[in-house]
Amino acid sequence: MPTNKPKAANQPTAENGPTAGKKRTAAKNQTATKKPQVTASPERRRELLAAAAEVFAAQGYNATTVRKIADAAGMLAGSLYYHFDSKESMLDEILSDFLTELWEGYDTVLAAGLGPRETIEALVTESFREIDRHRAAVAIYQKESRTLAPQPRFHYLSDSQQKFEKAWLGTLERGVAAKVFRADLDVRLTYRFVRDTVWVAASWYRPGGQHSPEEIARQYLSMVLDGIALRT
Amino acid sequence: MPTNKPKAANQPTAENGPTAGKKRTAAKNQTATKKPQVTASPERRRELLAAAAEVFAAQGYNATTVRKIADAAGMLAGSLYYHFDSKESMLDEILSDFLTELWEGYDTVLAAGLGPRETIEALVTESFREIDRHRAAVAIYQKESRTLAPQPRFHYLSDSQQKFEKAWLGTLERGVAAKVFRADLDVRLTYRFVRDTVWVAASWYRPGGQHSPEEIARQYLSMVLDGIALRT
DNA sequence: ATGCTTCCCTAACAAGTGTTTGGTAGGTTA
DNA sequence: TAACCTACCAAACACTTGTTAGGGAAGCAT
């Protein structure tokens, strides 16, 4: 499954033509297990991934060279390949680790059988907690997910987005039906607004700031649920 | 779009000179008019910039090669340099053009002497109109502004952000003082939420969709001002 | 015809890209 | 002691990147 990578840089340029490849891959491909190092300590691995995530989040994935990552980790570029088999697989691991943890939290909330309003409140709070814990990963997800999702390797991003939409949209609709939320608002539009605002917070949130995730969630929910206008 | 065929080439570069030194002409200073082509028709220039903006928005600035831009424009990479003197200057022109137009609209609104709530409404509506007209530029701005702003060349991005914050925050505070907005919400947090949600819309908005900019603004304002919860 | 201008192409260059190969210091085990 | 494994470095390789020279076809003015 993770074996053959299209070597050079992708590209949908219709015809790769006869002039394309220069016989680069020197018939090395036979032993299936391409995994380079499984023996490595998982701790060092996580350290390196954390370093990489910071750089990815700060500079963007494409603008980040493996040499910058290695620099941040205090080693040389080539040495990274003892731990990971490509730059892309680092990104992959960062994102899938994050999403796995995220959905653990979400699924717990969704299985709790709360009412619509309480579900929204719990989801938002949980989201800000995830931002607190995976700031870098969330920022990367925000910036790159749209470009990555079409790639087969990152198909789980699309899956996640669909699950995401289903959970939020479903809750909103349930709330409208239960006369907990207003019926005159476009549910899909509302969903987009809510979703975006929550996650964009990763771009300005700094852990250890003056607002805890719970406080931010409280303020945000107050705004979205009750509005900022003063009732008269 | 006529796909360019001339992708053969790729010659073996006679000697990969170990004489690496040879610093390229940095020429970073833009002290005076160093424009390479002023003679070019401004119309073609805008066409090319529009094409570039689309690719930048879709793939990200760093992930976009000048060859992709040229492809989208139906020409070859080198030909772009007849119109622009660098890839960066294309980005520069796209962003500064957008911001110039944006502030024309904003300044008009701010000078109208409206009340706090009406000012917010007008700003939001104006923002969605700008998204409608400069979707690509807004998307680029969203993705890259944080990385670009520190660079001297893009210092106007920081300026704009400060003006932006001043206008929005000022209006919100004015509204709180006038008892038009709630006093128990953190104004700075509210500002961030509102700002982000408005602009992130550029990532999903498609002109010609089922919602006009004005309709989106209306829905959004309804949510932020009055909340989505049903009043009982 | 000539020259000039506009706009693009061909072909290259040098620096930078992700990745591979071979080596090796230091620890652990036999 | 030797063999072995882990985690890294040094140096390259194959390709892509932004950018530049030189040239040439088409149009216009002289």
Side-chain angles (χ1 to χ4, degrees):
Chain A
M1 122 196 106
T3 44
N4 57 348
K5 283 199 34 172
K7 230 47 195 170
N10 53 39
Q11 261 12 307
T13 50
E15 48 190 356
N16 258 358
T19 59
K22 266 199 84 175
K23 82 166 174 218
R24 176 146 152 63
T25 55
K28 190 60 166 299
N29 189 0
Q30 48 174 2
T31 36
T33 49
K34 179 74 171 61
K35 244 76 207 233
Q37 267 65 28
V38 206
T39 38
S41 89
E43 187 161 349
R44 184 78 179 117
R45 195 181 179 79
R46 266 212 313 269
E47 281 179 26
L48 296 177
L49 280 181
E54 287 304 324
V55 189
F56 284 154
Q59 324 237 359
Y61 174 71
N62 285 286
T64 300
T65 71
V66 294
R67 284 165 180 83
K68 283 186 198 162
I69 301 175
D71 237 48
M75 58 199 302
L76 290 186
S79 311
L80 285 173
Y81 289 79
Y82 172 72
H83 300 273
F84 309 96
D85 48 277
S86 72
K87 175 188 171 189
E88 198 183 67
S89 77
M90 295 188 220
L91 177 65
D92 191 353
E93 200 162 332
I94 290 169
L95 289 178
S96 58
D97 280 3
F98 158 61
L99 282 182
T100 302
E101 273 203 45
L102 174 72
W103 278 106
E104 259 172 56
Y106 270 25
D107 284 336
T108 306
V109 168
L110 293 172
L114 303 171
R117 176 168 178 140
E118 289 74 21
T119 302
I120 292 287
E121 288 174 347
L123 285 179
V124 166
T125 307
E126 177 64 23
S127 300
F128 283 113
R129 287 209 187 100
E130 296 292 340
I131 291 176
D132 185 50
R133 284 222 295 277
H134 297 98
R135 194 185 84 269
V138 175
I140 299 169
Y141 180 84
Q142 272 269 132
K143 262 195 211 139
E144 320 286 349
S145 109
R146 194 160 258 106
T147 1
L148 294 174
Q151 295 179 234
R153 174 169 197 167
F154 292 93
H155 193 253
Y156 61 90
L157 291 178
S158 307
D159 292 345
S160 177
Q161 268 160 3
Q162 270 184 310
K163 263 187 83 179
F164 206 83
E165 176 167 348
K166 205 171 157 189
W168 283 83
L169 249 182
T171 308
L172 286 175
E173 281 164 351
R174 203 153 51 92
V176 170
K179 299 206 188 308
V180 177
F181 299 140
R182 293 166 52 189
D184 61 323
L185 288 182
D186 185 308
V187 195
R188 186 160 250 101
L189 262 186
T190 306
Y191 157 65
R192 284 180 186 154
F193 284 135
V194 173
R195 174 199 59 186
D196 290 343
T197 334
V198 166
W199 293 115
V200 192
S203 64
W204 52 258
Y205 179 74
R206 291 293 168 267
Q210 44 183 336
H211 298 286
S212 70
E214 288 79 9
E215 168 66 8
I216 294 183
R218 212 185 54 73
Q219 294 256 350
Y220 175 69
L221 284 166
S222 182
M223 178 184 90
V224 167
L225 291 172
D226 300 327
I228 67 171
L230 197 68
R231 315 272 177 91
T232 53
Chain B
M1 231 165 277
T3 49
N4 283 339
K5 61 212 157 164
K7 76 174 315 177
N10 190 12
Q11 69 306 7
T13 65
E15 272 297 327
N16 251 5
T19 61
K22 202 96 179 256
K23 203 76 175 203
R24 190 170 289 272
T25 58
K28 199 61 167 299
N29 63 350
Q30 67 263 40
T31 44
T33 50
K34 59 151 184 190
K35 267 202 179 131
Q37 267 67 28
V38 208
T39 36
S41 91
E43 186 161 350
R44 183 78 179 116
R45 196 182 179 78
R46 265 213 313 269
E47 281 178 27
L48 296 177
L49 281 181
E54 286 304 324
V55 189
F56 284 155
Q59 326 238 359
Y61 174 71
N62 285 285
T64 299
T65 71
V66 294
R67 284 163 180 84
K68 283 184 198 164
I69 301 175
D71 236 49
M75 58 198 308
L76 289 186
S79 311
L80 285 173
Y81 289 80
Y82 172 72
H83 299 273
F84 310 96
D85 49 88
S86 71
K87 176 188 171 189
E88 198 183 67
S89 77
M90 295 188 220
L91 178 64
D92 191 353
E93 200 163 332
I94 290 169
L95 289 178
S96 59
D97 280 3
F98 157 60
L99 282 181
T100 302
E101 273 204 44
L102 174 71
W103 279 107
E104 258 172 55
Y106 270 27
D107 284 336
T108 306
V109 168
L110 293 171
L114 303 170
R117 178 174 176 135
E118 290 74 21
T119 303
I120 293 286
E121 288 174 347
L123 285 179
V124 167
T125 306
E126 176 64 23
S127 300
F128 283 113
R129 286 206 187 101
E130 296 293 341
I131 291 176
D132 185 50
R133 283 222 294 277
H134 296 100
R135 194 185 84 269
V138 175
I140 299 170
Y141 180 86
Q142 272 268 130
K143 262 197 209 135
E144 319 286 350
S145 109
R146 194 160 260 106
T147 2
L148 294 175
Q151 293 178 236
R153 174 169 197 170
F154 293 93
H155 193 252
Y156 61 90
L157 292 178
S158 308
D159 293 344
S160 177
Q161 267 158 6
Q162 270 184 311
K163 263 187 84 178
F164 207 83
E165 176 167 348
K166 205 172 159 189
W168 283 83
L169 250 182
T171 308
L172 284 175
E173 282 163 351
R174 200 153 53 91
V176 170
K179 299 206 188 308
V180 177
F181 299 141
R182 294 167 52 189
D184 61 323
L185 287 182
D186 185 307
V187 194
R188 186 161 249 100
L189 263 185
T190 306
Y191 157 66
R192 285 180 186 155
F193 284 134
V194 173
R195 172 199 60 185
D196 290 343
T197 334
V198 166
W199 294 116
V200 192
S203 63
W204 52 260
Y205 179 75
R206 292 292 168 267
Q210 44 184 331
H211 299 285
S212 70
E214 288 79 9
E215 168 65 9
I216 294 183
R218 212 185 53 73
Q219 294 256 351
Y220 175 70
L221 284 167
S222 182
M223 178 183 89
V224 167
L225 291 172
D226 299 326
I228 67 171
L230 197 68
R231 314 271 178 93
T232 53

